[in-house]
Amino acid sequence: MKEQIYDVIVVGGGAAGLMAARSAAITQQRGGRRTSVVLLEGNPKFGKKLLATGNGRCNLSNLELSIGHYHGDRELAAAVIEKFPTQRIIDEFEKMGLLCRADQEGRLYPNNLQAAAVLQALRFSCEEAQVQCVCGFLVSSITKEEKEFVLVSDSGERVRAGRCILASGGMASPRHSCSQNGYTLARELGHSIVKCLPVLVPVKSSSKLLKPLKGMRSKVYAALLADGKKVAGESGEVIFNEGALSGICIFNLSSLVGEWQRTGKLQDKAVKKLEISLDFAENYSWEELLHYLRQIKTRHSSLPGGELFSGLLNLKVGQELAKSFGIDRQRPVAGITDAELKKMTAGIKSQKFEVSGLSSFENAQVTSGGIPLSEVTVQTMESKICSGLYMAGELLHVNGDCGGYNLHWAWATGLCAGSSAAKSGCEGLGERKQC
C-alpha cells in the first residue's frame, strides 16, 4: 500500500483491535465526519487467536463479571470494568447482529457457539463502518513527528495518523499471533513494560506422582499454599501431565504463581515455597472420609488394597494414589491398619505438589505483565506519556481468570480506546512528554 494519512491507525487485528477500529469509525460517523480509520494486521488473516478461544466456541464474557476475577493492575482496571459491564458487551454484539447466550455458570457465548461467527460479525461491522482493513502489514517501527505517528512495516511500507491505537496482543500462544512487537513499539514511544509471564497455563511441579498419573483427570478442590497457608482455591477438574498440573482450576491459580515468580511475594508478603494442594474428596470432611474407609475395610475385607478408593475416585487415579501410600495392590483391605487409613485420609484430602514454575508461552492462553495501567488514563485508554497514543487488550498489565474475562477486557478497552481516539486530536500536548 502507498503511504497514506489517516485519522486513526489501529495496530493489531485481534479482538481488541477489531473492536477498537469499529468503535473509532462508528464514533467518527456519529460526529458527522468522514471515516478515516485503518486496521493493520501482520498475519495473512484477522482474528486467528480469536477463532481458537473457548475451544472454537468463543467465551465472550461472563454474567458474573467483577474486578475480583482480574490480576495485575486491577485496582486501576476497575474503572474500565465498571464503565463497560457485561450487558454493554451483549448490546454491542446485538448491534452487529450477533445474539449471545450464557451457560449455567454464567459464561457468555455466541448463540451458535461458533467463534467464526464472532469474527465475521466484527469484520462485517468494520467494513460497514468503512474501516480500511489491511493484512500482512507487520509494523516494525513507530515514531512521532510533531503531531503525526509514522508507522513502518517490515517491508518498508509507511502510514501516518494523528492518533494510534496499539492492540497487538501479548506473548501467549505464539502460534496464533504474528509477533510480540507491541511491547517494542510501546517502548519506542516512552513506555515501560512489566515483566511478561505466561498465565492460564499448566503449573510445573517435580512431584514423582505426576508421571504415573499422566493423562488422567479428577474432580478436585485445588488450593494454592504459600509457605503452608492457603491464599486461593477453586473447584474443578485437574488434568495430570508429566511434570505439570493442568485444568481450568489450575489455570486460574497460575496468575498468582506468576505474581510470585515476578515479585517473590503474594498478598504483599515474601513467600519461599508455593504448593498446590488437591482435595480429591471435597464433598466429605476428614472425619466422614475416614469413616467411609473404615466401613469399606469392615464390609469388604477381601477387597484388594489397590481398589480401596474405587467407589470414591477415578479408578486409575485411586489405584495410583493407593500405590503412593505404600499399599500393596493385591493386599486385602482387612490387613490395612487404622493408622494407615488415617494417613490415606490425609493424603486424599490434601495431596501436595510443590510448585516449580509455569509452563511456556506456547501453552498459555494469556500474558501477565505488559504496559502498566499507571501510564494510561483509564477513562480514555490514552497514554499519559505520549499524547494521541492509545492502548487496548492483552498488551496492558491486566489479565483475567478463565471464563470470558480476558475477552471482556479486550472488548471493553477496545471500545474505550476506539471512541476516545476518534473524539480527540493530537493538539494540546501541554507539559506531557512529546515522543
Side-chain angles (χ1 to χ4, degrees):
M1 59 186 292
K2 296 180 181 180
E3 180 173 344
Q4 297 184 45
I5 300 176
Y6 298 88
D7 290 332
V8 180
I9 290 176
V10 182
V11 181
L18 285 161
M19 188 63 86
R22 169 187 174 274
S23 179
I26 289 175
T27 301
Q28 284 191 332
Q29 289 178 344
R30 287 173 180 165
R33 297 157 59 193
R34 178 182 62 85
T35 298
S36 181
V37 179
V38 63
L39 175 61
L40 305 177
E41 167 59 40
N43 275 312
K45 295 182 178 180
F46 290 98
K48 189 175 180 181
K49 187 175 180 181
L50 181 61
L51 290 174
T53 59
N55 293 319
R57 298 187 302 163
C58 198
N59 185 185
L60 292 167
S61 182
N62 201 297
L63 299 183
E64 302 300 324
L65 182 72
S66 73
I67 198 60
H69 287 286
Y70 289 90
H71 310 274
D73 292 332
R74 69 178 180 183
E75 290 79 10
L76 292 171
V80 181
I81 298 303
E82 183 177 348
K83 184 178 179 181
F84 295 93
T86 303
Q87 189 59 50
R88 174 71 184 277
I89 303 306
I90 293 173
D91 293 344
E92 288 297 326
F93 278 106
E94 286 190 353
K95 291 174 186 176
M96 301 180 217
L98 184 79
L99 296 178
C100 302
R101 60 165 156 164
D103 65 12
Q104 292 181 340
E105 297 181 11
R107 292 174 297 207
L108 191 70
Y109 293 93
N111 197 60
N112 60 11
L113 299 178
Q114 290 181 294
V118 179
L119 178 58
Q120 182 172 302
L122 286 162
R123 282 293 312 275
F124 186 67
S125 185
C126 282
E127 290 171 7
E128 279 189 320
Q130 299 178 354
V131 174
Q132 185 174 347
C133 299
V134 181
C135 288
F137 192 108
L138 178 60
V139 179
S140 60
S141 71
I142 183 170
T143 55
K144 191 171 184 188
E145 299 176 1
E146 296 183 354
K147 296 181 180 180
E148 284 186 346
F149 292 92
V150 181
L151 287 74
V152 182
S153 76
D154 58 345
S155 61
E157 296 175 288
R158 294 162 60 93
V159 290
R160 295 172 177 267
R163 281 137 289 156
C164 178
I165 302 173
L166 290 183
S168 47
M171 298 174 67
S173 191
R175 65 188 179 279
H176 295 124
S177 304
C178 188
S179 73
Q180 297 86 40
N181 70 341
Y183 305 110
T184 302
L185 299 178
R187 280 196 184 99
E188 288 179 5
L189 297 174
H191 280 276
S192 62
I193 306 295
V194 176
K195 181 181 178 181
C196 293
L197 292 169
V199 290
L200 299 193
V201 66
V203 174
K204 295 196 292 185
S205 174
S206 58
S207 172
K208 294 180 180 179
L209 188 56
L210 287 172
K211 187 173 183 179
L213 289 176
K214 181 180 178 181
M216 300 181 194
R217 299 168 180 257
S218 189
K219 181 72 169 60
V220 300
Y221 178 81
L224 186 66
L225 308 181
D227 292 334
K229 295 182 180 180
K230 176 185 168 183
V231 292
E234 183 171 321
S235 298
E237 186 179 62
V238 67
I239 303 170
F240 297 97
N241 299 326
E242 187 170 351
L245 294 167
S246 188
I248 291 177
C249 59
I250 301 298
F251 288 174
N252 285 338
L253 295 179
S254 71
S255 293
L256 292 173
V257 176
E259 181 182 334
W260 174 66
Q261 282 195 313
R262 184 184 292 115
T263 66
K265 296 180 179 180
L266 282 179
Q267 299 177 345
D268 295 323
K269 294 181 180 179
V271 175
K272 294 181 179 179
K273 182 180 180 181
L274 274 191
E275 297 171 297
I276 290 179
S277 173
L278 301 184
D279 182 349
F280 290 88
E282 178 185 1
N283 296 329
Y284 298 89
S285 68
W286 193 94
E287 292 78 10
E288 289 171 336
L289 180 57
L290 178 59
H291 176 69
Y292 165 78
L293 294 178
R294 284 170 172 167
Q295 283 188 321
I296 294 295
K297 175 184 174 181
T298 301
R299 295 175 180 177
H300 307 282
S301 59
S302 62
L303 183 73
E307 305 304 322
L308 179 61
F309 307 119
S310 60
L312 176 70
L313 307 176
N314 172 291
L315 293 177
K316 291 185 177 180
V317 171
Q319 290 167 1
E320 291 300 334
L321 285 175
K323 185 178 178 180
S324 73
F325 297 142
I327 302 301
D328 187 328
R329 183 173 181 176
Q330 300 304 321
R331 175 187 175 189
V333 296
I336 298 176
T337 68
D338 201 60
E340 287 175 318
L341 289 179
K342 291 178 179 178
K343 178 182 177 182
M344 287 186 282
T345 299
I348 293 295
K349 292 296 292 178
S350 182
Q351 187 69 221
K352 295 183 176 64
F353 297 80
E354 185 172 352
V355 172
S356 58
L358 295 169
S359 293
S360 66
F361 278 109
E362 282 73 13
N363 299 314
Q365 295 182 25
V366 181
T367 305
S368 167
I371 299 167
L373 274 190
S374 59
E375 297 180 3
V376 175
T377 301
V378 293
Q379 289 76 17
T380 61
M381 304 314 296
E382 184 177 10
S383 167
K384 294 179 180 179
I385 294 172
C386 182
S387 180
L389 178 69
Y390 297 78
M391 314 286 185
E394 192 177 342
L395 196 63
L396 295 157
H397 180 34
V398 176
N399 59 283
D401 293 334
C402 286
Y405 301 104
N406 289 290
L407 270 182
H408 185 99
W409 177 250
W411 310 134
T413 53
L415 281 165
C416 187
S419 61
S420 300
K423 291 174 182 175
S424 69
C426 292
E427 295 79 18
L429 290 174
E431 296 182 355
R432 286 183 289 187
K433 176 182 176 182
Q434 296 190 37
C435 305

